Amino acid sequence: MSGARASASEIDAHAAAWIQRRDISDWGEQEQVAFDAWLTESLAHRAAYLRLEAVWQRTERLAALHALTEREGVAPARGGLFRFLTRLTAGFAIVAALSISAYTLLQQPHAKTYQTTVGGHETLTFQDGSQIELNTDTVVRAAMDAKERTVWLDKGEAYFQIVHDSVHPLVVFAAGHRVTDIGTKFVIRRDSDNVEVTLIEGRAKFDTPRDAASKDTMLKPGDVLSATANSVSLKRASVRVLADQLGWQRGILVFHHTTLGDAAAEFNRYNDRKLVVADSVSARLTVVGTFRTNDLEGFVDVSQAVFGLHVAKRGNETVISR
Amino acid sequence: MAEKFETHSGTAQPQGGSLSDVDAWFVRDVLPLEPSLMQFLRHNWRNTSDIADLRQEVYVRVLDAAQRQIPDSAVQFVFRTARNLLTDRMRREHVVPIEAAADMDALEIAVDEPSQDRVLMARDELRQLQTALDLLPPRCREAFVLRRVEGLTGRQIAARMGIGVATVSEHLANGLCILADALSIEALALRRKKN
């Protein structure tokens, strides 16, 4: 595989022709044999085929447009809607579970529980198009139907991308605090009684209903609100900090002069193996870098190499020290 | 930055080998990087008519290497391969584009971004497909809509459009190639809009 090769566009044209012939015309053993032969002829053929076949499969999702037009004609066609949802999400990792839960949501208006394991990551898509993306070790309950849109964040962190409906605003409860969406993307993180709300886009209202003296706080993009059982504080975050904070959506942790102690705590949210920084001097060292949430070893290797720290494995813990 | 990355899914990687493993890895971990890869190539190579061939060559090299061992990090591997390819080409063609050399340093940024494609939301995906669909020539688009949106068979489309099944197949194949190229640009545009 070297030297003169057909141009990419020629090979693409061949690959696409095979895919289409297989899709719509008579396809027998003879065609299959010829196709296999073409495929094994060169890696360029293989690459072109894999690429175009992937795109062809992606276009299956266009069928959702059909379901949409169908839905407009007839009154509340549950079948169409359901098909719309499942097709829309087809191909995503969590689809199987999702379509079942979406279906159940249509059937029963009660709250359903969704949870991720340590290191897990899932996106829920609801009938109204709203999406909730769950980070590691997270539990939410959601009651989403025509009358009510309520979500409880029992534990962990979730990114809410809400399709706004002024008649039925989406409400999220976390540790007794309440966030009401006004056309929004936001993240809520909960560590027992501590709740942090980060507003990415749009507006949202924050309050604490059980506290009679609680005042509404209107949140703007970039606002980071921290609430404990009896205090509320607000600070602003830069676009960069916001993007870094959302690194988990891409499976990464971004550290900017983060102390080793804080970085370890972050890793520990995502991994069963826990990182322990044994002494306070090491814990105050700062790190800069981007790591996969599950790449504890890579992080430890770097710390070891850069700071010359000792690393010891004890049972389920990796201990680093001077 | 850690040298050893693992994949987004967090599952263990098969250590190289079988064709189907390599194919599955390529589709899952490499293809989603295409928008960023194309952007990188366009930035660093002046002659735009070479870009599709460069992309193809990157894919060939990546597949070739993966048959021996599936790399730990697709992102790093793909961009390292792209960088090496461009360096080879520059040497061979005795071109020393100064801007290109400077841009190479920006590689880290390109490497950091692309995994976002994976969490592409379903609605964004549909919007992208729709936008890309509108780029097709009219007859080609018509065939595509009848097949993918309406779900008609090749024969039904042929009858509807008053052409032969073979021509329908040509329209669809042509449309598929255009869509594939358009989608990698669309994904970038969407990402930019969000940031």
Side-chain angles (χ1 to χ4, degrees), chain A residues 204-219:
Chain A
K205 188 178 79 180
F206 175 93
D207 67 343
T208 308
R210 66 177 143 78
D211 177 2
S214 155
K215 276 187 290 190
D216 292 356
T217 308
M218 292 302 289
L219 301 175

Side-chain angles (χ1 to χ4, degrees), chain A residues 233-255:
Chain A
S233 66
L234 192 63
K235 62 180 184 202
R236 300 274 304 158
S238 69
V239 175
R240 164 148 208 187
V241 169
L242 290 182
D244 290 350
Q245 243 178 45
L246 287 172
W248 60 268
Q249 293 185 312
R250 297 180 279 149
I252 58 172
L253 292 173
V254 184
F255 300 131

